[in-house]
Amino acid sequence: MALIKVVDLSKTYENEGVKTKALCGVSFNIEKGEFVSIMGPSGSGKSTLMHILGLLDRPTAGKYLLDGEDTSLLEDNALAGLRNKKIGFVFQAFNLLPRTTVFENVELPLIYDRKPNENNRLRVMNALRSVGIENRAEYFSNQLSGGEKQRVAIARALVNDPEVIFADEPTGNLDSKTGVQVMEIFEELNNHGHTVILVTHETITASYANRIIKILDGQIVSDRAVSEKRRTLAESRKRIK
């Protein structure tokens, strides 16, 4: 059974009587353990698709099954619970609380879960350790570099051990060298069994995935495996490093 199953998914926005189609009958599956890039230019519908897959928005038509569960049948509270349990998010803007420590930022999903657990500290530190930033646990987020902030955001996405990690333009606010380091973290997470879905418009960033789905004008125009992944990455790393 596919982890994600999308069938004829459509999304239309309406503003003052004007309807805009963001997605037009999109269908695909994503298996557990895949590393997939969703790629397209600005306005292509890729962010709308990620918001629906991440249970932040609902489609206008079509079906979205997450781990076999039809999400269209769920109320908002149930969707929020499913999102916190099965999904981790990493955003371009980091979305960290500024006057809060690194530890407290990563702990947030556990607090939202409303289930006090004596193992929370261990879970937070393990998440920070997995991205190599455990030595910054007591720093405030505004004391960190951009790359460190993104590592914290990844740790926060990992702390609930989600089924899938969504990353929306995760290197967009980073320099090239730091962007490579962040993408290597996602690559390592995928190697350890995490499903990663990356939204990007950057070719080099997308090539870290094993599969690229390209979207244009709300429709899938290609869906292919990345056959020359290693050669592309090796060349880009030589130029950056």
Side-chain angles (χ1 to χ4, degrees), residues 177-220:
K177 182 176 180 180
T178 306
V180 167
Q181 294 169 349
V182 166
M183 288 312 302
E184 286 177 342
I185 291 174
F186 283 116
E187 190 176 40
E188 187 66 20
L189 292 173
N190 179 247
N191 289 339
H192 282 85
H194 288 278
T195 304
V196 179
I197 300 176
L198 170 74
V199 171
T200 185
H201 67 278
E202 298 176 348
T203 302
I204 291 177
T205 300
S207 68
Y208 278 82
N210 302 111
R211 173 184 170 197
I212 297 177
I213 298 173
K214 288 188 177 180
I215 294 183
L216 184 64
D217 297 330
Q219 296 180 310
I220 293 177

Side-chain angles (χ1 to χ4, degrees), residues 50-70:
M50 192 205 74
H51 288 158
I52 292 173
L53 296 181
L55 306 179
L56 296 171
D57 198 0
R58 292 181 182 267
T60 305
K63 280 193 173 186
Y64 169 33
L65 279 72
L66 176 60
D67 213 7
E69 189 163 14
D70 187 346

Side-chain angles (χ1 to χ4, degrees), residues 72-84:
S72 67
L73 303 177
L74 301 177
E75 299 292 335
D76 289 347
N77 285 342
L79 281 179
L82 187 64
R83 183 169 59 242
N84 195 51

